[in-house]
Amino acid sequence: MSETAAGNVTTRCCIVGGGPAGMMLGYLLGRAGVDVIVLEKHADFFRDFRGDTVHPSTLQVIDELGLIDDFLKIKHDRIAKMDGYFGMHKLRIVDIARTSAKYPFIAFMPQWDFLDFLRDKGKRFPHLKLMMKTEATDLVWSGAQVVGVKAVTEQGPIEIRADLVVACDGRHSVVRPAAKLEVEDIAAPMDILWFRIAKGPETESVFARLEPGKMMVTIDRGDYWQCAYVIAKNHFDEVKGRGIEAFRGEVSRLAPILAAHIDDLRSWDDVKLLTVAINRLTRWHLPGLLCIGDAAHAMSPVGGVGVNIAVQDAVATANLLAAKLQKGPVSEDDLDTVRRRREFPMRATQAMQVVMQKNIISRALAPGDQPLTPPFFMRVVNAVPWLQGLAARFLAIGVRPEHVRSPEA
């Protein structure tokens, strides 16, 4: 990479967005000896209520990079089995111990710790540069070819010229509209209210609770419960209108284990609204531009797979493009190999999420007071342990998992 007299920068690859896809791809390309710059608009990675489930597929990638021992030294919680209440019926949904995963658990780790880890480990690669407090604002074009990114830094505007721009800037991507890429929206029937409740010595394996018109997920994070209260789409104002006191009462009734510390919800400032969306691009690339991760396909929170799908996209991109980028620019056909590799796993995962939304979540959120009974397929999974392993494989390992094959310089 080089810097011009005007302070503009030239590099082989510019990655927009320092999330899981961007940081993993930056790490892999820097490891392969490709000049790469990652742009992150914030001063740090500290943002609460971001996806923090690190699945066995991602743990496998970290192992293949020789980093797993250090990674597992970071404070995290582990879960291998997931139970849920569907009305009055307690069911076992997933048992990761019944899969072939080398690391048969989901690690719950704050996303900022995961990203800090990749940043710190990537410092040994001279070809990798991370530019914090650098916000991409537009693309640079030469005719129909993307040739770089316009950005704003603390020192002022800058242009980063690159043979390839990779958009990893999430579901609210700046790059997607700048490139006029068409987004296909898939209906999501719910939004989510995230919050934390302090935790004492009590614990339980219940992951999800569903009652008529209500659903909540609780995740044991050691010294606190991370909670997701699921509401019907666009109904947050209605929930707020009933007041925080009523909301605390409803949460305590759904999950009595939270009642002792429910006063942690002092006001609505302690509740974060996540607007759920499932969408995907009809086209992932243009000459000089590729979109991956949530910038290419936003996932539902169902299954907590977003981080891991993003990491899988990054691994596949490096596998397919790193050696070619070492030599020079890549063609549109080269970029399309990434889409062809990753589109089926993405579509299969989104299809699973839609099935779960229609058959479980929509049923739970439907108005009425009739007792909930588990769908037939859930009763079968609960009764047949090996099916719990099959469900866990889909959730924890995914469809066509990626393995690190990009070169190490």
Side-chain angles (χ1 to χ4, degrees):
M1 60 192 77
S2 61
E3 188 169 327
T4 68
N8 296 331
V9 178
T10 300
T11 188
R12 182 73 71 197
C13 179
C14 178
I15 297 170
V16 180
M23 290 301 293
M24 180 59 77
L25 181 59
Y27 181 94
L28 291 167
L29 293 183
R31 173 179 176 269
V34 176
D35 285 341
V36 57
I37 295 174
V38 180
L39 309 183
E40 169 54 45
K41 66 181 181 180
H42 297 98
D44 55 42
F45 297 119
F46 187 84
R47 247 86 62 218
D48 212 349
F49 301 118
R50 299 177 73 172
D52 55 4
T53 54
V54 183
H55 287 207
S57 58
T58 299
L59 295 171
Q60 180 68 44
V61 167
I62 295 169
D63 181 49
E64 291 167 359
L65 292 171
L67 304 175
I68 193 67
D69 290 341
D70 287 344
F71 185 76
L72 293 179
K73 291 176 184 175
I74 301 172
K75 183 181 178 182
H76 64 279
D77 303 298
R78 301 182 183 188
I79 188 170
K81 299 176 181 179
M82 296 182 183
D83 298 335
Y85 273 106
F86 204 98
M88 299 300 294
H89 304 270
K90 186 177 181 180
L91 306 175
R92 173 141 294 167
I93 305 165
V94 164
D95 187 351
I96 300 173
R98 294 181 176 275
T99 70
S100 59
K102 184 174 181 180
Y103 302 94
F105 56 86
I106 293 174
F108 287 94
M109 176 185 297
Q111 191 177 119
W112 58 82
D113 285 341
F114 178 39
L115 300 177
D116 281 341
F117 178 82
L118 290 176
R119 178 195 61 191
D120 294 343
K121 292 298 183 182
K123 288 178 180 177
R124 65 191 178 96
F125 302 132
H127 294 275
L128 169 60
K129 181 178 182 180
L130 173 61
M131 296 177 64
M132 305 296 289
K133 294 190 283 188
T134 303
E135 182 174 4
T137 57
D138 205 348
L139 295 170
V140 181
W141 298 83
S142 177
Q145 174 94 17
V146 176
V147 295
V149 175
K150 295 180 180 179
V152 176
T153 71
E154 285 188 310
Q155 290 73 41
I158 188 174
E159 281 191 7
I160 298 97
R161 295 292 182 118
D163 293 318
L164 175 64
V165 174
V166 184
C168 300
D169 52 342
R171 66 186 62 208
H172 303 297
S173 173
V174 169
V175 174
R176 286 197 316 199
K180 295 182 172 59
L181 293 172
E182 183 180 349
V183 180
E184 177 188 356
D185 280 308
I186 302 166
M190 77 285 194
D191 292 324
I192 291 178
L193 305 181
W194 284 106
F195 54 93
R196 292 183 178 189
I197 301 292
K199 179 180 174 295
E202 69 282 351
T203 189
E204 63 182 12
S205 63
V206 176
F207 183 74
R209 296 168 171 84
L210 296 88
E211 293 187 6
K214 301 173 181 65
M215 177 178 175
M216 191 165 73
V217 171
T218 52
I219 304 169
D220 186 344
R221 298 303 309 274
D223 55 357
Y224 68 92
W225 295 99
Q226 183 170 313
C227 306
Y229 188 94
V230 184
I231 62 174
K233 194 73 178 173
N234 300 321
H235 276 56
F236 183 42
D237 287 342
E238 179 183 321
V239 174
K240 283 182 73 175
R242 295 196 289 266
I244 194 68
E245 185 83 20
F247 184 66
R248 285 196 295 257
E250 192 56 54
V251 168
S252 297
R253 194 185 66 76
L254 264 177
I257 201 167
L258 305 179
H261 299 282
I262 195 63
D263 288 342
D264 287 357
L265 285 178
R266 295 178 298 275
S267 72
W268 291 110
D269 292 338
D270 298 316
V271 180
K272 173 75 171 179
L273 172 66
L274 171 64
T275 302
V276 176
I278 304 180
N279 61 45
R280 55 192 177 226
L281 293 180
T282 58
R283 182 178 182 181
W284 293 29
H285 57 81
L286 296 173
L289 171 68
L290 174 67
C291 299
I292 64 172
D294 272 8
H297 44 72
M299 314 301 288
S300 163
V302 172
V305 297
V307 169
N308 306 279
I309 293 288
V311 168
Q312 297 284 298
D313 280 5
V315 173
T317 302
N319 288 346
L320 294 165
L321 301 183
K324 294 178 179 180
L325 281 168
Q326 284 177 332
K327 300 172 184 177
V330 292
S331 68
E332 263 211 278
D333 188 59
D334 292 329
L335 299 179
D336 199 49
T337 62
V338 177
R339 178 197 61 80
R340 294 197 300 268
R341 174 71 187 176
R342 294 301 304 157
E343 188 167 37
F344 173 70
M346 174 273 295
R347 284 180 175 268
T349 304
Q350 287 188 335
M352 176 274 291
Q353 293 182 325
V354 170
V355 168
M356 297 290 283
Q357 288 178 170
K358 287 182 177 179
N359 290 280
I360 298 177
I361 298 173
S362 291
R363 282 185 61 189
L365 296 181
D369 55 6
Q370 292 299 312
L372 285 180
T373 57
F376 175 73
F377 78 91
M378 288 184 66
R379 298 198 299 271
V380 172
V381 169
N382 180 66
V384 183
W386 72 266
L387 286 177
Q388 298 164 22
L390 189 64
R393 177 174 174 79
F394 193 95
L395 171 73
I397 299 175
V399 179
R400 200 163 62 195
E402 305 291 344
H403 297 278
V404 177
R405 309 196 192 283
S406 52
E408 182 171 3

